[in-house]
Amino acid sequence: MLSAENRQIRLARRPVGEIGPEDWEHVTEPAAAPGEGRFAGRTRYLSLDPAMRGWLDDRPSYLPPVGIGEVMRAGSVVEVTESNHPGFAIGDLVAGLFGVQEHVVSDGKGAVRIDPALASPSTFLGALGSPGMTAYFGLLDVGALKEGETVVVSGAAGAVGSMVGQIAKAKGCRVVGIAGGAEKCAVLTDELGFDAAVDYRAGNVRKALRTLVPDGIDVYFDNVGGEILDAALACLAMRARVVVCGAISQYNTTDVQGPSNYLSLLVRRARMEGFVVFDYAPRYKEAARELGGWIAEGRIKVLEHVVRGTVDDFPQTLQMLFRGENTGKLVLELV
Ligand code: NAP
């Protein structure tokens, strides 16, 4: 049975710089019943993603901006509570872009039934969801990784970065992760099997990379941009590939810092290429099969940071990403 009320987080106004509490509106509206060909669901897990910051800006991007007054866009896992849709039954767990709200009604477009026997539902928002797909296709397709190469990844203790490093290890590569703080660096080397880690808060990243990767970086997978990207550009091997996955250090600024060491691309005959994971949607099953296999074999560990709360906790949970307070995929479990 549907609860009578649906708590939602809507965009109240466009943030300038960091997102503040006044940029959100907390709303309660009646929960809708599903019409013909639709199902209703209760949100169990909400995904928190750095990309959300970009979705709030009114500028051209790979998705339209979230409109003022609209429910905030978010990936989530919902449990079907009522169904008039032949593809979804009561009790099914379904992943999709259902937004920051307690109850959803969907026509099933873009919704994927998940199998909780394979992994915890939250993992379908992380290692087996968009971040896992991002790591897989970014590294293997855009980065064209070859066995025996040296990979450096920034944001290495995060959802995407932790998968990038472990996929590279599974492919027989040497991996150095860059992350904030000694604790996160210890997770990378002691728990995830990275060969080395650099704490960017502790000192000079460029110097550390020169010592750890004297023959240069073959694939640099960039999640953060800014000064760390510049340090990595200064340490490329010949024919290196720089994968532009994200630039979280620049998301809250209106004055984006571009790379100044870009001529290293010329000297090293290297290339730098961006990508958006959604373009790989037709191949997600292929990646999920291989990632699922590595997870089942224990070659890839799933790193998740699960916060338990309500949809009202969404704004402050999102901020954790920009403060480096998460280790692994950040998820809000609704209790
Ligand atoms: P995440 O890494 O789990 O979380 C964000 C992490 O970024 C924080 O934990 C923090 O770790 C680090 N960070 C925050 N501010 C920073 C700063 N100023 N400088 C350096 N590091 C900073 O997030 P995620 O979901 O895996 O996303 C990682 C990146 O992938 C993001 O840039 C995201 O936009 C991008 N992405 C791209 C695609 C695509 O299709 N291209 C798809 C998904 C994600 P530390 O403690 O280490 O600083």
Side-chain angles (χ1 to χ4, degrees), residues 49-51 130 134 155 158-161 179-180 184 200-201 223-224 228 244-249 251 275-277 321-322 324-326 328:
D49 295 277
S130 171
T134 302
V160 174
K184 286 192 182 186
Y200 74 86
R201 295 210 182 108
N223 286 315
V224 306
I228 294 175
V244 183
C245 175
I248 192 167
S249 74
Y251 291 174
F275 75 105
V276 173
V277 68
L321 293 170
F322 300 97
E325 290 169 357
N326 64 305

Side-chain angles (χ1 to χ4, degrees), residues 46-192:
L46 275 170
S47 179
L48 290 301
D49 295 277
M52 287 171 159
R53 178 64 191 84
W55 298 343
L56 305 182
D57 290 334
D58 190 10
R59 64 165 100 103
S61 188
Y62 59 94
L63 283 177
V66 176
I68 305 292
E70 282 180 9
V71 174
M72 177 56 190
R73 180 186 295 138
S76 61
V77 171
V78 307
E79 182 177 342
V80 176
T81 49
E82 210 178 329
S83 183
N84 299 319
H85 191 299
F88 301 92
I90 290 177
D92 279 353
L93 291 172
V94 183
L97 271 180
F98 298 121
V100 185
Q101 52 184 339
E102 286 173 338
H103 295 279
V104 312
V105 169
S106 167
D107 61 7
K109 281 201 192 91
V112 180
R113 205 144 35 87
I114 63 169
D115 181 356
L118 292 179
S120 151
S122 54
T123 303
F124 293 88
L125 299 176
L128 291 175
S130 171
M133 303 298 133
T134 302
Y136 186 91
F137 291 110
L139 186 62
L140 303 182
D141 207 77
V142 185
L145 184 68
K146 292 188 276 297
E147 193 182 331
E149 289 192 319
T150 296
V151 175
V152 172
V153 54
S154 57
V160 174
S162 62
M163 291 298 287
V164 167
Q166 295 188 88
I167 294 167
K169 287 308 296 177
K171 291 283 184 187
C173 293
R174 181 161 181 268
V175 181
V176 177
I178 304 171
E183 221 172 284
K184 286 192 182 186
C185 287
V187 169
L188 298 180
T189 52
D190 303 351
E191 292 179 33
L192 303 189

